[in-house]
Amino acid sequence: MNSELLAKAKSLGFSDRQIAHLTGRTEDEVRAMRRKLGLVPSYRLVDTCAAEFEAYTPYYYSTYDRGDDEVIRSDRRKVMILGGGPNRIGQGIEFDYCCVHAAFALKEDGFETLMVNSNPETVSTDYDTSDKLYFEPLTLEDVLHIYEREGCWGAIAQFGGQTPLNLALGLQRNGVNIIGTSPQSIEVAEDRKLFAAMLDRLSIPQPPNGIATNEAEALVIAKRLGYPVLVRPSFVLGGRAMQIVFSDAELQHYMRFAVEASPERPVLVDKFLEDAIEVDVDCIADVGNFPDANQGTIVIGGMLEHIEFAGVHSGDAAMVLPPHNLAAESIETIRQYTHAMARELRVSGLMNVQYAVQNGRVYVLEVNPRASRTVPFVSKAIGVPLAKMAARVMAGKSLRDLGFTQEIWPAYWAVKESVFPFNKFLGQDIILSPEMRSTGEVMGLDADLGVAYAKSQMAANSPLPLKGRVFISVSDAHKPQVAEVARLFVDLGFELISTGGTAAVLEAAGHKVQRIPKLNEGRPNAIDFLKNKEIQFVINTPSGANPRADEIRIRSTAVMTGTPIMTTLSGARAAALGIAALQRHGYQVRTVQEYH
């Protein structure tokens, strides 16, 4: 490799990392060689007015072709905000919301804000969001160039989700001032061994777990923990390749085909807590701004109780704020654990914690010392712009300065429901799992929990019916509880329709049921009834890890015909609560501002 070849490679778009891979060097060695040769990019302005008028919007892109550098540097103190990059499932618009609010807050406080994001379809890349925008990939190389070219005071990696977070340590090693929670604390939360050691120090329980680097290790851990277990690769977006497995055969299939396990890329194996209630907590803290960890303020922004049992990704689950089923002792324990971890990690900014509560015992599932996808929802529910406050905390202000020191417990209910693209993928099973599949979310607010839930279903394009027939077909595991759920719908005036096994259970409990044949037994069956709009609501839970083909056909037909469907009994109970509230007194519409 010589200077001419290196210059040509850079002008053709090869990254330092690619060149390092092709030449048997490290990325740092290529960067050092390039800098020694004075080979750095120049930045050009995107002409947003197509040369018709003078363009004032500072959109920049980098190039290694010779020419003028069009960046105009000011003397103001600059903060670089790292965006989330391309939107994809698991890393959505919620992170963009946080980046935008950070830019607004810091601009108001006199900073010059630089947004780095490679996605033109977001608000963070709008012309009036930040002072300057760099359309660049979120890589170590590109972010370092901008930071050095602009002479930034600090960089925020906490608001763009996992993508910028993965860069934090590398940026810090290269002299970038990462403001907010330190990259070392982020590493403690993400490295399972360091995280387990921290929880031991604080006497906080987590589900029994292990780390496997190959199939044999995974089988040994699963045998020790007992099935079912939750398996996932470390450092993933949106729960990708995360799965609940119930047997050795399933685990072997997962290790062989779903992931590439190695010492550098271990697989996490956790005991899956069945029938546990999952809780998401978003908090804000300024502990990292003080020399002593016992100083500073920690405030819980919101506690969200999942409607579905643990095992559904938090990006897909319906949630209620404040918690609607949790005991007061569990809520207090969650509060204590959250405060203890925020102090231990010396959090400056936002932190999200996921808990599971099983038989009154609270377990920590994971901690993310960063903005989470529930921050916009919580901010709107409590009327406090958490992302704006967090940006100001990261820039050095305290929560006392900002006047936010007390947890807000709303006097109304806020329900978050996820929106899915299943109607675009007919034939795909709609069962929710640890792997995120939603493409958006909506909110229902009301003084009555049932009405708040019903509003969320309307907003998600699946309004609850007020009368008609309910088709019920559940797995053997759910048959002991199905009669009680069916009674809720009978009391609301619905007729029951079902197939063999479930019908027998409902009849034994004294319910009147219209029996219909299974798909392979004759007609008219559930699909015929759905297509003829003779079923208004479906309750269908999956039969174990490998759902049967006829179940999938029923569920996808419900989606195709626009029939509301619940695949969990907890979801069905929430729907009954919503229908009862609508039958009783309908609903009123109020703006978010009126609630605050």
Side-chain angles (χ1 to χ4, degrees):
M1 188 166 69
N2 55 50
S3 57
E4 291 81 18
L5 187 58
L6 184 57
K8 188 176 181 186
K10 294 308 289 184
S11 73
L12 288 170
F14 283 83
S15 68
D16 287 352
R17 196 168 174 185
Q18 285 172 310
I19 295 167
H21 175 70
L22 292 168
T23 59
R25 292 170 168 82
T26 66
E27 187 177 353
D28 287 344
E29 286 170 346
V30 174
R31 187 182 300 114
M33 181 178 178
R34 185 168 51 71
R35 283 181 171 164
K36 194 175 174 183
L37 295 167
L39 195 56
V40 291
S42 58
Y43 291 92
R44 307 281 173 78
L45 199 62
V46 175
D47 186 353
T48 49
C49 298
E52 245 182 287
F53 317 99
E54 188 176 350
Y56 292 103
T57 309
Y59 277 29
Y60 294 106
Y61 67 97
S62 65
T63 174
Y64 278 86
D65 293 337
R66 291 194 181 92
D68 294 335
D69 188 312
E70 297 177 329
V71 171
I72 301 165
R73 268 179 66 167
S74 72
D75 297 328
R76 290 164 65 200
R77 206 152 57 139
K78 301 178 184 68
V79 174
M80 171 195 279
I81 300 163
L82 302 181
N87 276 358
R88 52 239 195 252
I89 289 180
Q91 180 129 347
I93 209 72
E94 303 91 341
F95 296 116
D96 204 65
Y97 164 101
C98 293
C99 291
V100 169
H101 274 230
F104 289 166
L106 294 174
K107 272 168 82 171
E108 285 167 19
D109 288 359
F111 289 93
E112 184 173 322
T113 57
L114 313 178
M115 187 71 67
V116 182
N117 207 356
S118 52
N119 182 2
E121 291 294 324
T122 57
V123 183
S124 68
T125 52
D126 280 359
Y127 69 93
D128 56 353
T129 296
S130 55
D131 293 305
K132 286 179 182 168
L133 168 66
Y134 283 86
F135 267 128
E136 293 292 286
L138 286 148
T139 67
L140 186 66
E141 174 184 348
D142 293 287
V143 172
L144 280 175
H145 283 152
I146 301 163
Y147 188 87
E148 289 159 5
R149 176 69 186 81
E150 285 280 7
C152 295
W153 167 72
I156 293 178
Q158 222 187 72
F159 286 156
Q162 195 68 42
T163 302
L165 215 59
N166 289 346
L167 297 176
L169 269 173
L171 290 171
Q172 190 188 53
R173 275 198 294 268
N174 283 279
V176 173
N177 173 29
I178 301 286
I179 62 173
T181 307
S182 74
Q184 285 71 25
S185 289
I186 292 166
E187 186 80 354
V188 168
E190 301 227 331
D191 184 299
R192 295 313 276 188
K193 286 181 180 169
L194 296 175
F195 181 55
M198 180 191 81
L199 294 182
D200 284 344
R201 276 198 308 280
L202 299 173
S203 301
I204 295 175
Q206 68 175 140
N209 59 72
I211 299 173
T213 57
N214 56 52
E215 185 184 313
E217 285 180 14
L219 289 166
V220 169
I221 294 165
K223 191 172 183 180
R224 171 170 60 81
L225 301 178
Y227 289 106
V229 293
L230 180 72
V231 284
R232 56 192 162 141
S234 47
F235 297 93
V236 295
L237 284 176
R240 194 176 53 75
M242 201 187 278
Q243 198 175 314
I244 300 164
V245 301
F246 296 83
S247 66
D248 283 356
E250 279 181 45
L251 183 57
Q252 285 169 323
H253 185 272
Y254 176 85
M255 295 300 289
R256 286 173 196 172
F257 302 108
V259 292
E260 289 178 43
S262 69
E264 295 77 45
R265 306 176 85 171
V267 169
L268 313 175
V269 185
D270 293 330
K271 174 66 180 165
F272 177 63
L273 302 174
E274 293 185 276
D275 295 341
I277 296 169
E278 201 164 328
V279 182
D280 257 70
V281 175
D282 282 308
C283 82
I284 184 168
D286 59 15
V287 179
N289 295 5
F290 294 87
D292 181 355
N294 293 315
Q295 294 178 287
T297 307
I298 300 158
V299 183
I300 288 178
M303 269 187 215
L304 300 113
E305 181 184 332
H306 294 210
I307 286 173
E308 291 86 2
F309 280 131
V312 173
H313 192 280
S314 61
D316 286 355
M319 301 184 190
V320 179
L321 182 157
H324 62 301
N325 280 327
L326 282 187
E329 309 91 83
S330 298
I331 289 171
E332 190 48 44
T333 302
I334 287 170
R335 197 172 279 127
Q336 287 169 8
Y337 288 173
T338 305
H339 281 245
M341 288 186 288
R343 286 210 190 281
E344 185 71 17
L345 292 168
R346 297 185 59 73
V347 171
S348 174
L350 293 166
M351 181 177 88
N352 170 264
V353 192
Q354 288 168 25
Y355 293 97
V357 183
Q358 186 188 50
N359 302 324
R361 185 167 166 79
V362 177
Y363 297 88
V364 171
L365 299 179
E366 64 178 75
V367 175
N368 294 300
R370 58 165 168 85
S372 74
R373 64 176 55 77
T374 47
V375 164
F377 176 85
V378 171
S379 299
K380 290 171 186 180
I382 66 172
V384 176
L386 293 175
K388 278 187 175 178
M389 283 200 172
R392 291 186 162 117
V393 164
M394 293 158 86
K397 289 197 171 168
S398 72
L399 287 171
R400 288 191 186 282
D401 296 338
L402 299 170
F404 185 53
T405 56
Q406 292 294 315
E407 186 179 330
I408 294 172
W409 197 267
Y412 45 84
W413 302 96
V415 176
K416 186 205 94 162
E417 182 57 283
S418 300
V419 178
F420 298 93
F422 296 133
N423 59 350
K424 308 269 198 308
F425 302 100
L426 293 178
Q428 266 287 311
D429 197 4
I430 66 167
I431 290 299
L432 303 182
S433 72
E435 188 164 4
M436 185 173 164
R437 301 167 82 183
S438 71
T439 50
E441 54 190 41
V442 294
M443 180 181 205
L445 284 174
D446 204 88
D448 181 298
L449 176 57
V451 174
Y453 183 79
K455 284 179 177 179
S456 75
Q457 300 309 298
M458 291 176 206
N461 289 325
S462 185
L464 299 172
L466 298 184
K467 59 184 180 181
R469 283 195 182 114
V470 180
F471 173 73
I472 305 178
S473 174
V474 299
S475 67
D476 291 343
H478 296 116
K479 285 194 168 110
Q481 299 105 44
V482 73
E484 164 255 329
V485 173
R487 183 166 307 284
L488 297 175
F489 284 88
V490 170
D491 292 345
L492 293 169
F494 285 81
E495 295 173 25
L496 304 182
I497 181 168
S498 192
T499 52
T502 306
V505 172
L506 296 175
E507 286 165 350
H511 293 302
K512 184 182 172 190
V513 184
Q514 179 184 347
R515 278 181 179 247
I516 59 171
K518 291 183 176 178
L519 300 196
N520 59 355
E521 291 175 350
R523 304 181 75 170
N525 54 42
I527 287 180
D528 298 320
F529 277 88
L530 282 165
K531 287 180 176 175
N532 294 334
K533 301 283 185 184
E534 294 176 74
I535 290 172
Q536 281 65 48
F537 193 77
V538 175
I539 301 170
N540 180 236
T541 67
S543 57
N546 298 308
R548 294 191 301 270
D550 54 352
E551 287 178 26
I552 296 173
R553 282 180 63 201
I554 290 169
R555 290 193 280 264
S556 57
T557 304
V559 170
M560 183 179 75
T561 57
T563 309
I565 175 168
M566 291 294 161
T567 58
T568 63
L569 293 185
S570 52
R573 286 189 192 95
L577 187 72
I579 293 166
L582 291 178
Q583 286 181 351
R584 215 167 36 245
H585 44 65
Y587 65 94
Q588 303 292 310
V589 175
R590 292 171 71 197
T591 63
V592 172
Q593 289 82 354
E594 285 176 79
Y595 282 95
H596 305 317

